[in-house]
Amino acid sequence: MIIHCSQKLAAKLPAVSSTPLEETSPLGGWHAHLFTLDRRQCVMFCHDATRYVLFLPGLRKADFAELGSQWFRPLYLATLAMFGCPAAQIKKVELALGPMRFDMAIDRSVQGSLRVAKLDLEAWLYDVPNVMALDPLAMSCRLSDRPATIRGKWIWPEKAMLEAVARI
């Protein structure tokens, strides 16, 4: 699986390819962006085909070395479980993900979806004293359970991701 990184995130990761990598996962690739909220480093992931969003707040320098295996993968599988995906299907997804690879090939459409998701997140922070008070699982589910657009077409990321997972 490939995660296409923003320049800010690529600077924090140990091995990022400057040339585009070929996608081998049946689920497709993701985009990721590093930003700061309440003086904390946060990463937001957005699936290229479904605009499914994952949010990780408060990452530290050591966390970036294991971003794919220790942070992204468990959060992604937990959100699938929260949306009612069967356990057997989640195991198939886990196997289909494969090794995490990072490059800097970006798609402006997905970056726009990340920007909109970040604006929604910032609006929801109004009632929260600190970004660290947010539950990553709950916020990821909330960000994925809202309408999004893909080149002018409206979709529900949660439903689109569950359909993609069912095809595996």
Side-chain angles (χ1 to χ4, degrees):
M1 185 177 85
I2 297 174
I3 297 179
H4 308 287
C5 305
S6 65
Q7 288 183 354
K8 285 183 180 181
L9 181 59
K12 301 274 185 180
L13 295 173
V16 179
S17 173
S18 59
T19 60
L21 299 173
E22 184 179 337
E23 182 59 63
T24 57
S25 172
L27 285 173
W30 293 73
H31 275 66
H33 178 59
L34 173 69
F35 57 95
T36 304
L37 287 176
D38 293 335
R39 297 183 306 159
R40 302 288 185 161
Q41 295 182 95
C42 303
V43 175
M44 190 172 284
F45 299 91
C46 183
H47 188 255
D48 294 352
T50 63
R51 301 308 195 256
Y52 193 83
V53 176
L54 301 175
F55 172 66
L56 287 171
L59 293 175
R60 296 173 189 237
K61 185 177 180 179
D63 297 335
F64 289 101
E66 298 294 327
L67 185 65
S69 61
Q70 296 296 321
W71 297 101
F72 172 84
R73 193 179 298 257
L75 179 61
Y76 175 51
L77 298 175
T79 58
L80 290 177
M82 289 291 290
F83 284 128
C85 190
Q89 195 65 36
I90 292 174
K91 287 290 185 191
K92 288 181 185 177
V93 169
E94 188 172 11
L95 293 173
L97 288 177
M100 299 286 172
R101 298 179 298 156
F102 301 94
D103 72 9
M104 293 180 61
I106 55 170
D107 180 346
R108 289 180 54 109
S109 175
V110 182
Q111 284 186 315
S113 296
L114 272 169
R115 183 186 56 80
V116 169
K118 181 180 176 250
L119 290 172
D120 288 347
L121 177 70
E122 289 171 342
W124 297 332
L125 277 174
Y126 181 74
D127 296 332
V128 181
N130 188 334
V131 71
M132 294 306 291
L134 295 175
D135 177 22
L137 180 59
M139 289 312 301
S140 295
C141 289
R142 188 172 178 187
L143 286 165
S144 295
D145 190 22
R146 62 182 176 75
T149 60
I150 299 178
R151 293 176 174 84
K153 180 184 170 195
W154 287 96
I155 63 159
W156 285 89
E158 170 227 341
K159 292 177 184 173
M161 180 56 77
L162 291 177
E163 290 170 4
V165 165
R167 288 191 297 264
I168 294 180

